[in-house]
Amino acid sequence: MSSELEVTILTVEVMKNYINGKWVESKATETRDVFNPATGELIAKTPMSTREEALEAVKAAKAAYNRWRETPVFTRVRHLNRIRDAFEENFEELSKILTTEQGKAIDEARGEYRRTIENLECATSIPSLQMGYNTEDIAAGIDEMVIKQPLGVFFCVAPFNFPGMVPTWFWPFAIGVGNTYIVKPSEQVPMSQVRQFEIIHELGLPRGVLNMVHGGAEAVTALIESPDTAGMSFVGSSPVGKLLYKKAGEYGKRAQVQGGAKNFLTIMPDADLDRSIPAIITSFYGCAGQRCLAGGVLLAVGDIYEPLKKAVVEAAKKYSVGNGLEEGVQMGPLASKAGMEKVLRYIERGLEEGAQLILDGRGIEVKGHPDGYFIGPTIFDKVTPEMAIAKEEIFGPVIPIIHAKDLNEAIDIIHAVPYGNASSVFTSSGSIAREYQYRVKAGNIGINIGVAAPIATFPFSGMKDSFFGDLHGQGKDAVDFFTENKVVITRWF
Ligand code: NAD
């Protein structure tokens, strides 16, 4: 990909796969168009790689495995350090590419790359994270130890909403402990990963250790079915995730599957409203609502309902919408036309089901961008728990407000949805906060925090239909997912 890419893309390239240290043109006959969501311009094409191409990547990763596994751990993490430094040097360019293909505001893209780099930084501590354990004299003269060993070839399947960061929840840890790897980016936003791989290509990572295959179901199915892959990390929607989790089980593979979400923000009557509003607003409208940790429903408890509604509407009206590449813009477009149409359908559905639209973001005009996929901040009042906008993942800048009489009712409403990714409470009471974290079935809990996003040293959690598996991405969980504990019991005569 042209590294001069800044704001304008002059030629439309078909993205290449990266296999065994080389850029390879895909032979796939089917491609998927990639658009700049702020302008509607065609900016690239993604090849829908074939089964054979996916298996070529597996072959390369398998061939590289033994040598890489034998490479001392400090040498392995030195490669990660180099990649980390190179991403830092190219920070601005990477952030701009991300915004160009995904649409999010440039500061949000920078935030995403900060997190990407933190994952690399965390994985460089693998020499200490990876240590096993050792017990002497379990019987006279007999010692026992656990050693952690890599398993072979792993791969990830990534979503469209964080095209720069999500693969780094996994591969730095996977290769840090000695596995080899294949990244399958989202076909909707392939360019961020291509640019990352171009940077990595210059840094001398041994061939085959890290590979990339574009595409969709055909490539992913081949990766799961191959007898030479050990496991999969999936991030995306719950229906696809569930399907692939079952398939991975059928083929005896390790799998960690992070799915969709419907996150509730519960605002208690004793919340500090002035200080909570900015966190609430960015939870719903950050990344145009396309975050698995985004607010999905605003639950106003008791008599905070009226003042909260007023403050949220006022703040939402001030939220600026535009081309994410312009500094100061707070909210970019939806990432795709299909994504925008889906959100518009949910707004229609909310109206049909009797919710009251008190701020309508449809038809927002962004100067100079008549073909962008924009929807402005939108708010529904008088929402009830059985409405689709209260239960389903909208993935757009829409706040449905539900009025609950007390915390018990709020928690019942939260537990009625199948998801359990994140949930936040805004309160001044330690005991309410503690009760919330204790009772609410969600993997990531925020207390006076709008987006409870775990940093790289913590597991990226999730419960119910938001996560299938046991070990999560990032940190020590990732190290455990990518290694097997081998027990060795020793007696010397
Ligand atoms: P998606 O499920 O449509 O696609 C995700 C990936 O799966 C893509 O790479 C796609 O090519 C692949 N895929 C799609 N259908 C497939 C099939 N039949 N077989 C094999 N592979 C297939 O998800 P998306 O629209 O890209 O991402 C948005 C979703 O991701 C939202 O639901 C969001 O909540 C979720 N998400 C979750 C987390 C989390 O940590 N829980 C993080 C980010 C996004």
Side-chain angles (χ1 to χ4, degrees), residues 48 157-162 166 169 184-188 215-218 220-221 234-238 240-241 243-244 258-261 291-292 393 395 421 460-461 466:
M48 300 305 278
V157 182
F160 76 80
N161 60 336
F162 282 86
V166 164
W169 289 348
K184 205 300 283 172
S186 162
E187 62 275 36
Q188 196 178 311
E218 180 173 340
V220 173
T221 304
F234 171 92
V235 182
S237 61
S238 293
V240 175
L243 189 87
L244 299 187
Q258 304 187 205
R291 266 200 290 226
C292 67
E393 187 176 36
F395 232 46
N421 213 35
F460 199 103
S461 195
S466 297

Side-chain angles (χ1 to χ4, degrees), residues 285-306:
Y285 297 146
C287 300
Q290 302 161 110
R291 266 200 290 226
C292 67
L293 297 174
V297 171
L298 187 58
L299 266 175
V301 176
D303 57 13
I304 196 127
Y305 169 63
E306 287 296 344

Side-chain angles (χ1 to χ4, degrees), residues 1 7 11-12 25 32 50 74 101 130 143 150 188 190 238 241 263 306 323 330 350 361 386 410 435 440 452:
M1 195 169 69
V7 182
T11 49
V12 174
E25 265 178 45
R32 159 108 191 228
T50 60
F74 279 103
E101 69 171 349
Q130 197 194 358
D143 303 330
Q188 196 178 311
S238 293
N263 307 313
E306 287 296 344
N323 185 334
Q330 289 173 296
E386 58 288 347
E435 186 177 351
V440 171

Side-chain angles (χ1 to χ4, degrees), residues 73-74 77-82 84 118-129 172-173:
V73 63
F74 279 103
V77 300
R78 217 166 284 137
H79 284 282
L80 295 178
N81 260 320
R82 275 187 215 116
R84 180 240 167 263
E118 284 170 7
N119 272 293
L120 283 152
E121 286 165 346
C122 180
T124 58
S125 55
I126 275 170
S128 46
L129 281 177
F173 300 93

Side-chain angles (χ1 to χ4, degrees), residues 48-56 218-219 221-223 225-226:
M48 300 305 278
S49 301
T50 60
R51 181 178 181 82
E52 291 68 35
E53 288 168 327
L55 294 178
E56 270 305 302
E218 180 173 340
T221 304
L223 293 173
E225 290 179 354
S226 163

